[in-house]
Every structure is written in structure tokens, then in C-alpha cells.
Amino acid sequence: MASILSTLDPMTVAVAAVAIVGIVPVAIQYRERSRWFAVGYGMLVVAALATNLEDLFLGGLLNATEHAVGLMGAGIAFLVAAYVHRKREIEPGVVDDG
């Protein structure tokens, strides 16, 4: 157990802990209108967890997961969220945001 803890960087563990705790308010405040923001936050949590786990096992795969799924996924989700929000503001009659 001590060897596992010694391989983890305290800062990345703290980021993962804050990200996991942050899921609670995101889940509580989830609305259909904010689903893409919730997806983006979820992707950031995936990236934070993959960062910590890559030091323990499956380093290459989890590194790719961190960057491709976590970070790029979050960027795409936030891009879609901004687009949907802007579309909703420009065309107030639009209910379905895709």
C-alpha cells in the first residue's frame, strides 16, 4: 500500500478528489438545458482519474484515455454546450437542443 501511495503525485490526487466531490453539485443541479455542461465536467473527472491511475497500471492506455477521452471530450462537450446555449439565446422558440 505504501508503494502505491508513493507513486501518486499529491497534487493530482487532490485534483481527482476535488473533481469527484464536485460531481455532487453537478448531479444535483442537472437540468436538460445543462446536459452538455454536465457531460463536459464528467469528461474532466475521467481525465483526472486516468491521470492518477496511469501511474499504477496500463500507463499508455490510461494516458491516451486522459487526453483523447477526458480532455478532448471535455473540450468538444463544452463547445457543443456553448453552441446549444447560443442557439437557444438567438432563437428563443427552440426547445429541443439536440
Side-chain angles (χ1 to χ4, degrees):
M1 181 71 164
S3 65
I4 291 174
L5 294 176
S6 67
T7 61
L8 297 174
D9 178 29
M11 185 60 82
T12 60
V13 172
V15 167
V18 169
I20 291 171
V21 170
I23 287 178
V24 174
V26 170
I28 290 171
Q29 296 295 319
Y30 177 81
R31 304 287 182 269
E32 186 69 21
R33 293 174 58 94
S34 64
R35 72 174 163 223
W36 286 107
F37 290 106
V39 169
Y41 186 83
M43 294 292 113
L44 291 175
V45 172
V46 167
L49 293 176
T51 297
N52 284 292
L53 295 176
E54 74 184 19
D55 292 334
L56 303 176
F57 60 94
L58 299 175
L61 178 65
L62 288 173
N63 189 33
T65 300
E66 172 195 356
H67 291 95
V69 175
L71 299 176
M72 189 171 65
I76 291 170
F78 288 135
L79 174 73
V80 171
Y83 172 78
V84 168
H85 179 73
R86 179 155 165 56
K87 183 178 176 183
R88 206 181 293 125
E89 292 296 317
I90 291 174
E91 303 171 20
V94 174
V95 175
D96 183 23
D97 53 12

